[in-house]
């Protein structure tokens, strides 16, 4: 398809508009003609910046995953808390765009933001975490975070008492009691899960 001689829109504007459409109308509603209409241009204008729909969705995933704040922590023995904060920030960014969450399964952060993984590996090295554990930590963190957050994004927001939403007090008395005694929000449960994984890696290293 022929491109217009001059771009009528910016790449950033196209990505922002794509997210607006997905947020408000859902992922299934997104298409190049729909995006062009939203921007007030014809579809060929999009080809100044993107070769196809897949490239736009990749840019959307990169924007969501790359928009997170980097924790301001110095390397040291409490290094897992850096990753707890980092994963919590990614969780917040994904849940802000729940309809777009499935895109991150197709376009993983490690494929789009490899430079940031180099930075986190440098942080691990500066914290004296053995190099042989870096892949286990970085791979595990991405899988754990995305799996947990994308599952959460596909469901309605929950409260402490509805984390297990379909519990019947009569037939599931133990779960009912557990929910009543649970004091953690979904965010706190997520952070404790990440924390348990990271400290578990180091505990196993010490045992070995």
């Amino acid at each position: 398809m022929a491109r217009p001689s001059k771009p009528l829109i910016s790449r950033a504007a196209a990505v922002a508009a794509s997210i607006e459409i997905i947020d408000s109308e859902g992922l299934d509603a997104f298409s190049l003609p729909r995006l062009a209409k939203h921007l007030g241009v014809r579809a060929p204008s999009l080809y100044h910046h993107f070769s196809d729909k897949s490239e736009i969705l990749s840019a959307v995933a990169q924007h969501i995953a790359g928009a997170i704040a980097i924790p301001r922590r110095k390397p040291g023995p409490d290094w897992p808390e850096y990753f707890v904060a980092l994963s919590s920030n990614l969780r917040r960014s994904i849940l802000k765009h729940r309809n777009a969450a499935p895109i991150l399964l197709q376009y993983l952060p490690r494929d789009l933001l490899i430079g940031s993984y180099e930075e986190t590996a440098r942080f691990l090295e500066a914290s004296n975490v053995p190099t042989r554990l870096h892949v286990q930590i970085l791979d595990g963190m991405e899988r754990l975070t995305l799996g947990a957050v994308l599952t959460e994004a596909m469901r309605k927001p929950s409260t402490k008492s509805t984390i297990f939403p379909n519990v019947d007090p009569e037939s599931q008395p133990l779960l009912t009691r557990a929910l009543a005694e649970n004091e953690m929000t979904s965010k706190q449960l997520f952070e404790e899960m990440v924390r348990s994984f990271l400290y578990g890696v180091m505990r196993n290293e010490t045992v070995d």
Side-chain angles (χ1 to χ4, degrees):
M1 184 178 292
R3 302 180 179 182
S5 58
K6 293 183 179 180
L8 301 177
I9 54 173
S10 69
R11 181 182 177 91
V15 172
S18 299
I19 294 174
E20 288 177 9
I21 294 170
I22 295 170
D23 282 348
S24 61
E25 302 176 28
L27 186 56
D28 290 341
F30 179 77
S31 66
L32 294 186
R34 178 68 188 88
L35 176 59
K37 181 179 179 181
H38 186 85
L39 290 166
V41 299
R42 298 181 63 184
S45 296
L46 299 173
Y47 289 92
H48 272 287
H49 306 290
F50 307 98
S51 60
D52 53 24
K53 177 181 177 180
S54 177
E55 190 175 345
I56 296 177
L57 293 178
S58 174
V60 168
Q62 184 171 4
H63 177 84
I64 293 173
I68 65 174
I70 304 301
R72 294 187 176 183
R73 281 184 172 270
K74 293 183 179 180
D78 65 342
W79 62 268
E81 297 305 317
Y82 172 91
F83 287 91
V84 172
L86 190 66
S87 61
S88 184
N89 292 344
L90 178 57
R91 172 183 177 273
R92 185 185 308 112
S93 183
I94 294 174
L95 293 183
K96 185 179 178 181
H97 306 288
R98 288 175 177 265
N99 289 341
I103 300 173
L104 277 87
L105 286 175
Q106 184 175 1
Y107 305 98
L108 294 172
R110 70 178 67 188
D111 297 328
L112 303 173
L113 302 164
I114 192 62
S116 66
Y117 283 72
E118 175 71 11
E119 291 299 316
T120 50
R122 186 174 292 114
F123 183 89
L124 288 170
E125 182 178 48
S127 298
N128 295 319
V129 178
T131 303
R132 64 180 176 276
L133 298 179
H134 290 189
V135 169
Q136 180 184 354
I137 291 168
L138 297 177
D139 177 71
M141 280 300 306
E142 181 179 90
R143 292 175 184 271
L144 185 67
T145 300
L146 287 182
V149 178
L150 294 181
T151 299
E152 186 178 357
M154 296 297 100
R155 303 172 64 88
K156 294 180 179 179
S158 62
T159 64
K160 287 187 288 186
S161 63
T162 61
I163 291 171
F164 288 91
N166 301 314
V167 174
D168 176 63
E170 293 187 4
S171 56
Q172 292 98 32
L174 296 180
L175 273 176
T176 299
R177 189 172 68 193
L179 284 171
E181 295 186 13
N182 171 53
E183 297 181 351
M184 289 190 284
T185 64
S186 293
K187 177 178 181 292
Q188 291 168 329
L189 287 169
F190 170 78
E191 291 175 343
E192 282 303 307
M193 178 181 62
V194 173
R195 193 173 280 118
S196 296
F197 165 71
L198 293 169
Y199 282 101
V201 170
M202 291 309 297
R203 185 162 50 249
N204 290 339
E205 170 69 9
T206 302
V207 172
D208 293 343

